[in-house]
Amino acid sequence: MRKTYVALVEGEYPLADGATETIDLPIGPDERRSGRMRIDRAEGKESQTIVAVEQRFHGYSLLACQPVTGRTHQIRVHLREVGFPLVVDPLYGRRKSFALSDFKRDYRKKPGAIESPLIDRLTLHARTIEFDEPVPAPGAAARRLRVESPIPKDLARVLKQLGKFRPR
């Protein structure tokens, strides 16, 4: 099985266009915070995530991430550990939501108006999953199946605004 996620992260990921790298750091439970994982070099389970840059913005990056292993919160923990947390991640990042005022210079809201966030969920999206057909037809070879999910509207809106106000 192969999964590919897209992750909008803080910072400009230092990887050449077209290149990939593997984050190889063991993950284990964080005993201090229930439900949270952490890098645990002594007792953590082997964990690898393949990363590539898909789009660059000033101060942000859209990454393609393929978990080789399937640890809980693996992508989120790996990206945070290497200094590129998800833009919105209340558990491993620093924001619960992301609004235009967070990145548009000279942003001014209308008097009395309340700014709505562009996105108020994790900036992580499962884009594709590939797997072998569970039960092939009798006498037939198993086929490789691929399921794709388009970028959701809220994340697409964020990417459009970053492209407009933070191009690179």
Side-chain angles (χ1 to χ4, degrees), residues 130-151:
E130 295 179 46
F131 55 95
D132 291 331
E133 183 178 25
V135 182
R143 295 180 302 162
R144 188 79 173 159
L145 301 176
R146 178 184 170 105
V147 179
E148 294 187 34
S149 176
I151 301 264

Side-chain angles (χ1 to χ4, degrees), residues 84-97:
F84 296 90
L86 296 179
V87 169
V88 178
D89 187 343
L91 194 57
Y92 299 104
R94 60 185 188 101
R95 289 189 182 98
K96 292 182 180 181
S97 65

